[in-house]
Amino acid sequence: MDAAVKVATVKLLINGEFVESKTTEWRDVVNPATQQVLARVPFATQDEINAAVAAAKEAFKTWRKTPIGARARIFLKLQQLIRENMAELAATLTAEQGKTLPDAEGDVFRGLEVVEHASAIGNLQLGELANNVANGVDTYTVLQPLGVCAGITPFNFPAMIPLWMFPMAIATGNTFVLKPSEQDPMVTMRLCELALEAGVPPGVLNVIHGGEMAVNAICDHPDIKAISFVGSTKVGTHVYNRASLNGKRVQCMMGAKNHAIILPDANKEQTLNAIAGASFGAAGQRCMALPVVVLVGEAQKWLPDLVAKAKTLKVSGGTEKGTDVGPVISCAALSRIEGLIERGIADGATLELDGRKPNVPGYEKGNFVGPTIFSGVKPGMAIYDQEIFGPVLSVVAAKDLDEAIEFINANPNGNGTAVFTQSGAAARKFQEEIDVGQVGINVPVPVPVPLFSFSGSRASKLGDLGPYGKQVILFYTQTKTVTARWFDDSTAGQGVNTTISLK
């Protein structure tokens, strides 16, 4: 970067104030379509991380006592502010992450749904009561906040995933320290500004930036009680192991290799459109993307049609009208994807469509790779075994539904899967026998709405409880059971008996 060109610095958020970091380590936030430096993000110092946690710990003393209705109204206001600023949020997200504007708006909107869910906390954070479990004795439970919680988020959904985390944690009465991706933190910071405007008190929401040191500091800090993580399997496994050893509650949503089965009776045009969007949309940078398609029986003849459909997709900068596939996040990501395509050829897969080095007028410096399709893909090939995180689709053949289900179940990941068919019997067989946490029937990306919990499984998830939905209420609270007996004046002082009779 030219030293004469001044760019904005991303701030830390500590105790309600956006402050300049005193660090000496910075990273550029780069527009992946143009390589323009948009801002500089600091790698927070240990003292700054400690200050953020200390602010959250102090704020918890009063925030935990805030009436549940008052907490809910903050998120009613926040959802209004997000709607009013949707265009600005999407434009910022597109500039720093590369998504098309419709994809960016979808990113924000899916997070907004969780904010709306948080505003209903009064109906969600309810305990249970059993009246008269013994003579004059009642037992009931209350769901109490844990204290300081933390979130570590990835680059691919810089609006949605932070909004999966801090609204639910704060609505349940906790305070929060967020570490967004250092690659695209700007839209996250704008959302935090809106949260403060909506009424989140000082210290209740704090933001630090950084890399490995910041992650480890969060895992190790004795005052952080729970950590929510979304990102790669390598980092997620590290976070889970390190934080668990430190006695923290942890949920990690990690990598995946999602599959879709296409049966010959599926609606052809709708299925091809769905596969193209799920495989190549967001440049394939989704843990719920669709990088593997299993063509069953006669559906194997659809391969030329799938290739033809992929060729119609427009590759360009995210702000260009009609763009279907934007750039990948970084030069390093582009190099890795291109390297895996080379590996696929070397391993013996057939390259049906090569998306490398597309011609993108006006964006010659961008990190672009177009839709790429391999056939003849098998386990053991790098393009199948590794999560490519780019617009690369592997096509596998199976003779029948049983073989296709067996193939998917042999993969260690369990984030999402789908079947395309017009047969109710086939769909029911699939949903019953598939060993994957989230299932789509004629739905290629089966991410549940916030009324339900994100339920990836097996190697795609560590921890029993998922983000948002009913499960996250349990994750961010401690159940306290109270057994109570009250005496009227006529029985007071007639002796002490600590044994409760169940007769």
Side-chain angles (χ1 to χ4, degrees):
M1 183 181 69
D2 187 344
V5 178
K6 291 186 178 181
V7 296
T9 54
V10 180
K11 305 298 189 288
L12 308 174
L13 173 56
I14 300 176
N15 201 28
E17 299 290 335
F18 291 94
V19 297
E20 193 80 59
S21 174
K22 293 180 172 61
T23 187
T24 59
E25 186 178 0
W26 297 79
R27 175 174 178 148
D28 291 340
V29 179
V30 178
N31 184 323
T34 64
Q35 307 307 319
Q36 177 191 0
V37 176
L38 303 174
R40 299 175 71 227
V41 61
F43 279 35
T45 66
Q46 184 66 58
D47 286 345
E48 290 166 341
I49 295 170
N50 290 342
V53 177
K57 183 178 180 181
E58 182 64 25
F60 178 65
K61 296 176 182 177
T62 52
W63 179 245
R64 66 178 302 180
K65 299 176 182 178
T66 302
I68 200 166
R71 301 200 302 262
R73 283 188 289 274
I74 288 173
F75 293 100
L76 283 172
K77 179 64 174 177
L78 179 57
Q79 66 87 24
Q80 175 190 348
L81 291 172
I82 291 173
R83 290 182 183 278
E84 291 173 353
N85 291 275
M86 180 69 76
E88 176 205 344
L89 292 165
T92 300
L93 198 158
T94 293
E96 64 178 342
Q97 203 278 340
K99 288 185 181 182
T100 66
L101 281 172
D103 265 349
E105 290 178 356
D107 188 329
V108 178
F109 183 78
R110 290 309 301 268
L112 173 63
E113 290 181 321
V114 179
V115 176
E116 293 172 339
H117 195 58
S119 69
I121 193 65
N123 293 321
L124 300 172
Q125 197 173 346
L126 298 176
E128 300 173 314
L129 182 144
N131 180 245
N132 218 36
V133 296
N135 187 25
V137 177
D138 302 325
T139 297
Y140 55 94
T141 61
V142 291
L143 303 181
Q144 296 187 320
L146 302 174
V148 182
C149 300
I152 302 168
T153 64
F155 75 84
N156 58 327
F157 282 90
M160 181 185 79
I161 295 178
L163 291 175
W164 279 9
M165 294 182 183
F166 77 78
M168 297 307 299
I170 292 173
T172 49
N174 300 283
T175 55
F176 206 76
V177 177
L178 176 66
K179 194 210 84 65
S181 171
E182 66 276 16
Q183 298 188 75
D184 49 7
M186 295 166 62
V187 70
T188 307
M189 296 308 296
R190 181 63 180 131
L191 288 167
C192 292
E193 290 177 4
L194 295 178
L196 297 192
E197 185 178 341
V200 172
V204 172
L205 174 60
N206 305 272
V207 184
I208 55 104
H209 304 286
E212 182 179 357
M213 188 278 280
V215 169
N216 288 339
I218 288 171
C219 292
D220 295 343
H221 202 292
D223 291 331
I224 292 176
K225 305 303 181 184
I227 299 174
S228 181
F229 171 90
V230 176
S232 71
T233 297
K234 179 180 179 181
V235 179
T237 302
H238 169 77
V239 167
Y240 185 83
N241 291 337
R242 186 160 182 158
S244 296
L245 286 172
N246 286 318
K248 303 185 191 311
R249 190 177 292 187
V250 192
Q251 58 175 206
C252 291
M253 306 297 114
M254 306 185 297
K257 199 71 176 182
N258 306 314
H259 301 66
I261 293 174
I262 300 178
L263 298 179
D265 69 337
N267 183 299
K268 188 173 184 178
E269 189 61 26
Q270 290 180 354
T271 299
L272 291 176
N273 287 334
I275 295 300
S279 301
F280 308 122
Q285 298 176 121
R286 295 185 286 209
C287 68
M288 289 295 292
L290 195 56
V292 184
V293 167
V294 184
L295 299 178
V296 176
E298 290 296 307
Q300 293 170 34
K301 296 178 182 179
W302 294 15
L303 179 58
D305 303 286
L306 182 56
V307 173
K309 175 67 68 175
K311 287 181 177 178
T312 67
L313 301 180
K314 178 181 177 180
V315 181
S316 190
T319 58
E320 298 295 326
K321 187 175 181 180
T323 296
D324 300 296
V325 182
V328 296
I329 187 65
S330 66
C331 296
L334 176 62
S335 178
R336 179 178 179 275
I337 294 165
E338 291 177 338
L340 282 167
I341 293 172
E342 287 287 351
R343 284 284 302 278
I345 297 169
D347 287 345
T350 301
L351 185 60
E352 303 283 352
L353 178 62
D354 189 353
R356 291 173 293 178
K357 304 294 188 294
N359 179 29
V360 188
Y363 296 93
E364 287 76 16
K365 295 182 179 180
N367 308 321
F368 292 99
V369 57
T372 299
I373 299 177
F374 280 99
S375 64
V377 177
K378 300 176 182 178
M381 295 181 176
I383 56 171
Y384 181 77
D385 292 347
Q386 297 184 36
E387 186 176 24
I388 299 174
F389 231 59
V392 180
L393 175 64
S394 296
V395 178
V396 176
K399 68 176 185 293
D400 55 30
L401 179 58
D402 286 325
E403 184 179 289
I405 290 173
E406 183 179 358
F407 181 83
I408 295 174
N409 284 346
N411 190 280
N413 295 287
N415 224 22
T417 189
V419 64
F420 289 86
T421 181
Q422 296 190 72
S423 167
R428 192 174 191 282
K429 175 183 175 68
F430 178 77
Q431 77 174 40
E432 288 294 314
E433 297 184 10
I434 205 70
D435 186 16
V436 175
Q438 296 172 121
V439 177
I441 297 173
N442 298 314
V443 175
V445 184
V447 179
V449 297
L451 296 174
F452 299 86
S453 297
F454 190 93
S455 53
S457 61
R458 295 195 283 153
S460 295
K461 177 182 179 182
L462 289 171
D464 296 328
L465 300 171
Y468 68 78
K470 294 179 181 179
Q471 289 185 13
V472 84
I473 304 299
L474 297 177
F475 179 76
Y476 283 127
T477 61
Q478 178 65 48
T479 301
K480 180 181 287 184
T481 303
V482 180
T483 301
R485 168 182 278 170
W486 294 96
F487 300 95
D488 60 31
D489 291 341
S490 65
T491 60
Q494 295 183 9
V496 177
N497 185 354
T498 58
T499 302
I500 297 175
S501 173
L502 297 180
K503 295 180 180 180

